[in-house]
Amino acid sequence: MIFTRLFFWGFYMVVLLIYSGIYKQRAARNAFLFAASLFFYWKTSGLFFIILLFSTVSDFYLGNLIHYSKRSGWKRFGVVMSVCVNLLLLSYFKYSYLFVDTINSLFHLNVHVVNHLALMTNRLAGTHFEVSAILLPVGISFYTFQTISYTVDIYRGKVDPVKHILDFGFYVSFFPQLVAGPIVRASEFIPQLYKRYSLSKEEFGYALFLILKGLFKKMFIGDFIALNFVDRVFANPAGFSGFENLSALFGYSLQVYVDFSGYTDIAIGVALLLGFRLPKNFNSPYKATNVGNFWKRWHISLSSWLKDYLYIPLGGNRKGRFMTDVNLMITMLLGGLWHGASWQFLIWGGLNGAGIVVYKQWKKISPYENSNHWAARFWKIFNTFVFITFTRIWFRSESMEKANQLIRQVFHEFNARIIPEVIWSYRLVFCVMALGYFTHWVPGRWKLDLLNRFIRTPLWAKVLITVVVIFIIYQSWSAGLQPFIYFQF
Amino acid sequence: MKPFRIFIFLLSVLLLLVLLALFFPREGISLGGDHRLSFVSLPELNGRDTTGISSVNVEKLLSASTVTEDPESEPEPKQEPEPKQEPEPKQATELKQAPVPKQAPVPKQAPQPEREPKKEKSTPKVIPANTDSLKLSVHRIQLTDEGASLLQSWFRNLEGMSTGNNRNIRILHFGDSQIENDRMTALIRYRMQRQFGGTGIGLVQAVPLYSGSLSYQQEEHGDWLRYTYFGRRDSSVAHKSYGIMGAFASVPIPANDRWPSLYYRFNTSRRGGQVQRIRLFLHSYVDSATVAFCVEDRYCDTISGIPDGFSVVNFFHVEDMNSVRISFNLPEGGRIYGISFESEDGLLMDNIAMRGGSGLIFTSMNQEVQQEMLENLSPGLILLQYGGNVVPYMHPGYYRRAFKRQLQFFKEMCPGTPVIVIGPSDMSVRVDGHFDTYPGLEAIRDALRDAAMESGCGFWDLYEAMGGYNSMPSFVQAVPSLASADYIHFNNLGINLVAEMFYNALMVEFDDYESNRSGR
């Protein structure tokens, strides 16, 4: 993650210093942040920033075409072009291998992927790009969805086009959220382009709290359990007992949350310090009481995007009960594929879709659906959490074979007798996992109370707290590897 | 709050961190036991920021090479020098097949062993492994005169196999968790079987740690239990008869006329799944034990009268089996030391992985059973791949002496059979956030090499072959990754790269042998 690197914080301080001199001049501010974002993207992705520029330029002019055309045909043409160009771009870079592999296995062929874009560039410009592989540009899944939302929102009349291409470029490439979201809607962000900079002391405290929280979640919890336990098991599920596999699965459920939400926390905090408000992306997802509720709390910017730009255009719930379920399944299957180009992600999306569809029927007959008793609520949260964790088998496994191995180990090689020994040997990992889940499941008012206390502390105390938190994170980051333990089973 | 104030805030944090880095004790502050507080020092901040290390990009290398996660997914060469298959009588069975007579080793001028120059350890920074050279250059096997002579004798047998003089040649590949689940062996076996003929996966345990592979799937029916001599031993087992695999499965006693059984379903589209012969190494506690083989649940053959004690039961089938059920009627139970899935002709290679093993158990286990198994298997080449598990714990001098005793054991059990010792890979320990080669790893590697050289064996230095000092972080950080996040074990892609390097090293020796022979 780029936010955990020293390079990023050096870059950010330089940006802040220059920003301090120009933040009052709106046009210069936006142009500078656009340039800084392009530099940031160039440092993380090299020449792929040309793809980002292409997406920016094409959607800017298509947005203008949609807005200023008098004829509805041209408006439709503009929006269809924008969606097609963005999806083709995304498909080319992300799904070529899946497509070719599927064709090969269906028709017993041996077709190889050729990067025609690189081939064409080499022929036209005399460059020497690699043509035998297609690499995925960083953040393409996020910024293509963002630009689609821009042109579609213009088409729907929800937002006016951005007046200057530099402003639009800034919206598309704003560095805190460029690499991994949140996916910012044009209607949420574009009005901010024309507002003056403002940041209250409370907002500063909130932003700093989010950054520290994000770093702690990612580096203290996520990296530690991944390096010392989860990655080892998922690399070779058949080499570990069922209990270790199950523990790694629940560990991964925590890791993926602290990684992703930690990233988003930092992105929101970093953007806020520059005066820009990004939408909330996570809301204690493992407190969800059903799968549908989970998706309203997990990666909110993506699930709401899929709802507004896929599920509702498909017909949503307007075409009867059966078609509602079909639309839901299509949305979740494509949402699964968005996360990664493999059959595992399709299965993962399908399971989540099935979870929502089944719950819709279950709640009609559930004896405790409307109960406010704590036990009923606990049961619902527990079931949802276990189901979501179960689906992560396919989300995390690098291949179907490994997913099957994990399931096999859990059901056939559980080996309950070694549980105490495993827990004792990996006690630090289990302690960190327990801390992660504890901090997630504590009542929201406790967290709010801590946030308010932090916000109220004077600036000098915030400096000290920041140093202490970084010091604590360093202890986890620099800790020796937990030894590899051999359990015979 | 103005941006400049935020900048000053961050600057203040940075200054305090720099002060902390300046004045915090380099050795940290002990909290008792192994725990201590530590903080980055300024020199480390300048030069040891491992988060910013550029990974070795081997994507291009791997996509251009034939190394994949599954070697059998590679296309077969069009012309394959398969030995002619001789027709076999339908479903022949026999007890205690006589061991294949060994050919006496022919002494021959051996090339001088190559020694790699020791790498400088002046800097703690990660030295990325040059993966181009890993793949393209061959890291030679170090051989003494005796070792080279034995190897060339084996090459002669290998050649003889393609001319029909030898029907089977076997390689036993022993190792620790680095080769678990047929890793490394699978690629070498596949390459060699493609070149010299042969199918089948070789020896497997009746109750394996990994149930099945891409070549076969296994189901156990009955209360089978697995016992190992390596790792943690079950104290209820009083004897030391574990066989050459260091593990056995206890055969359940039949209950209510239901015989315990093992069911195997083979994937015949893979070389490893093409099986015409099964060899069963078992120990019955009473006379007149019975074992039944049922191919496709139709063609059944019952072998009765198996005496008490050690036996080898052979079962043939005229064509590749899709599935086989092996049922056991051992009235008082018994032990299975291993089951081998083989072809009638060609090269066979066994993967014998001992999790947590250091390769020192052979001399302390019951030698009689091992001898019977080795005589029956009649290996042409033995590979011993150990060392990683003793790195943090064992004195190199002791390890050298103890390992020499194991090599002596194999030389006595299998006279004239060349043995190649494969040393440990690089392994990392995390110190203050960066990764360093385990202290003592090179000493253990040296101990193994010295033991091999002093015993007239070959030695392949995996540690140097993969890049030497601090090469493991490069394997972990490579894109795609070549090693697991424990910084000890290779992943499938990485182990296949290593396997190909070893295969290339072996083939270079074979090419030398052929060149010398044709030049004579």
Side-chain angles (χ1 to χ4, degrees), chain A residues 117-182:
Chain A
L117 203 64
L119 199 65
M120 197 171 67
T121 313
N122 288 349
R123 280 183 188 154
L124 292 176
T127 50
H128 297 91
F129 291 122
E130 174 63 46
V131 296
S132 62
I134 299 176
L135 301 177
L136 186 67
V138 173
I140 193 170
S141 308
F142 291 91
Y143 67 73
T144 47
F145 270 33
Q146 199 156 300
T147 48
I148 288 174
S149 84
Y150 171 72
T151 49
V152 172
D153 280 359
I154 291 176
Y155 180 75
R156 287 173 175 172
K158 284 186 175 176
V159 69
D160 287 339
V162 181
K163 295 183 186 76
H164 200 284
I165 193 165
L166 290 182
D167 289 345
F168 182 67
F170 169 46
Y171 156 64
V172 176
S173 64
F174 187 36
F175 69 86
Q177 46 84 224
L178 175 60
V179 173

Side-chain angles (χ1 to χ4, degrees), chain A residues 6 17 50 79 129 144 195 200 229 272 349 361 391 395 397:
Chain A
L6 279 178
L17 188 63
I50 295 169
V79 77
F129 291 122
T144 47
K195 283 186 182 166
S200 66
F229 190 63
L272 187 55
Q361 301 306 317
T391 67
F395 190 85
S397 296

Side-chain angles (χ1 to χ4, degrees), chain A residues 4-7 9 12-14 16-17 19-20 23-24 110 130 132-133 135 197-201 204 208 219 224 226-228 231-232 235-241 244 272-274 398-399 401-402 405 408-409 413 417-418 421 428 459-460 462-464 466-467 470-471 474-481 483-489, chain B residues 1-7 9-14 16-17 20 24 35-41 44-45 48-53 57 59-60 63 69 75 177 180-181 183 208-211 213-214 217-220 226 228 230-232 354-357 389 393 428-435 438 484-489 491-492:
Chain A
T4 60
R5 295 193 175 181
L6 279 178
F7 155 76
W9 294 102
Y12 188 63
M13 284 186 70
V14 173
L16 256 181
L17 188 63
Y19 191 69
S20 308
Y23 72 99
K24 287 179 182 167
N110 192 24
E130 174 63 46
S132 62
L135 301 177
Y197 171 89
S198 74
L199 187 75
S200 66
K201 278 184 181 171
F204 169 76
L208 188 64
M219 296 180 78
F224 186 82
L227 185 65
N228 289 296
D231 288 352
R232 298 178 191 182
N236 181 23
F240 293 85
S241 67
E244 287 163 288
L272 187 55
L273 291 182
L274 294 169
E398 291 147 23
S399 63
E401 187 202 341
K402 284 189 175 162
Q405 279 177 358
R408 194 191 177 286
Q409 294 304 101
E413 302 285 354
R417 68 188 166 84
I418 65 167
E421 201 179 346
L428 260 181
L459 212 53
W460 63 266
K462 285 192 177 77
V463 172
L464 287 180
T466 305
V467 170
I470 292 171
F471 181 79
Y474 184 83
Q475 303 315 307
S476 163
W477 181 76
S478 64
L481 283 176
F484 192 90
I485 313 290
Y486 296 108
F487 297 102
Q488 297 292 343
F489 57 92
Chain B
M1 193 149 164
K2 291 177 180 171
F4 190 68
R5 282 195 77 187
I6 300 169
F7 174 77
F9 177 88
L10 292 180
L11 197 63
S12 311
V13 170
L14 185 67
L16 275 179
L17 289 172
L20 193 61
F24 201 85
H35 305 291
R36 67 189 177 101
L37 292 175
S38 61
F39 198 63
V40 67
S41 65
E44 281 175 327
L45 207 56
R48 284 186 176 180
D49 179 20
T50 53
T51 56
I53 285 171
N57 188 346
E59 198 171 52
K60 183 179 164 188
S63 61
E69 286 211 19
S177 57
E180 261 182 3
N181 199 22
R183 285 151 33 101
L209 195 57
Y210 296 84
S211 295
S213 69
L214 292 172
Q217 284 302 311
Q218 174 182 347
E219 289 170 21
E220 296 137 24
R226 174 176 183 263
T228 61
F230 52 89
R232 194 194 310 135
M354 300 173 178
R355 179 180 278 203
N389 289 305
Y393 311 110
S428 301
V429 62
R430 201 179 194 203
V431 184
D432 292 338
H434 67 271
F435 293 95
Y438 260 92
S484 163
D486 62 4
Y487 286 75
I488 291 174
H489 294 90
N491 61 19
N492 286 347

Side-chain angles (χ1 to χ4, degrees), chain A residues 401-441:
Chain A
E401 187 202 341
K402 284 189 175 162
N404 293 338
Q405 279 177 358
L406 189 148
I407 293 168
R408 194 191 177 286
Q409 294 304 101
V410 170
F411 287 103
H412 296 284
E413 302 285 354
F414 191 77
N415 279 283
R417 68 188 166 84
I418 65 167
I419 289 175
E421 201 179 346
V422 172
I423 291 175
W424 177 248
S425 301
Y426 286 106
R427 55 193 176 279
L428 260 181
V429 172
F430 280 93
C431 282
V432 172
M433 275 168 60
L435 172 74
Y437 278 122
F438 173 77
T439 53
H440 183 81
W441 276 316

Side-chain angles (χ1 to χ4, degrees), chain B residues 446-459:
Chain B
D446 291 347
L448 274 175
R449 185 186 54 208
D450 293 346
M453 294 292 110
E454 289 163 16
S455 307
C457 302
F459 182 73

Side-chain angles (χ1 to χ4, degrees), chain A residues 182-358:
Chain A
I183 300 166
V184 185
R185 302 285 183 87
S187 54
E188 288 168 334
F189 196 81
I190 285 170
Q192 298 184 51
L193 296 176
Y194 306 110
K195 283 186 182 166
R196 290 164 62 93
Y197 171 89
S198 74
L199 187 75
S200 66
K201 278 184 181 171
E202 288 72 26
E203 283 177 319
F204 169 76
Y206 176 60
L208 188 64
F209 186 82
L210 282 181
I211 291 170
L212 293 178
K213 188 171 80 162
L215 286 172
F216 185 83
K217 285 200 294 196
K218 161 71 184 161
M219 296 180 78
F220 191 91
I221 300 172
D223 287 354
F224 186 82
I225 59 174
L227 185 65
N228 289 296
F229 190 63
V230 174
D231 288 352
R232 298 178 191 182
V233 177
F234 275 95
N236 181 23
F240 293 85
S241 67
F243 175 72
E244 287 163 288
N245 273 277
L246 199 62
S247 304
L249 186 59
F250 280 91
Y252 179 67
S253 225
L254 175 67
Q255 185 212 330
V256 71
Y257 167 68
V258 292
D259 267 14
F260 196 11
S261 72
Y263 177 93
T264 311
D265 287 342
I266 301 168
I268 294 171
V270 163
L272 187 55
L273 291 182
L274 294 169
F276 293 91
R277 280 85 184 153
L278 301 182
K280 193 174 182 178
N281 215 16
F282 291 88
N283 180 22
S284 300
Y286 294 142
K287 288 181 180 173
T289 51
N290 58 68
V291 183
N293 184 237
F294 171 82
W295 280 100
K296 287 178 180 147
R297 292 163 169 266
W298 177 274
H299 203 172
I300 299 164
S301 64
L302 174 70
S303 42
S304 64
W305 193 99
L306 289 172
K307 187 183 97 184
D308 291 346
Y309 300 100
L310 182 60
Y311 174 69
I312 291 175
L314 280 171
N317 59 5
R318 303 186 302 277
K319 296 186 176 173
R321 206 178 299 167
F322 176 73
M323 283 312 293
T324 302
D325 291 347
V326 170
N327 293 336
L328 257 172
M329 285 305 295
I330 292 171
T331 306
M332 294 309 289
L333 285 167
L334 291 178
L337 265 188
W338 179 88
H339 284 81
S342 73
W343 292 104
Q344 293 93 278
F345 285 105
L346 202 68
I347 292 172
W348 173 75
L351 284 170
N352 274 279
I356 298 173
V357 170
V358 168

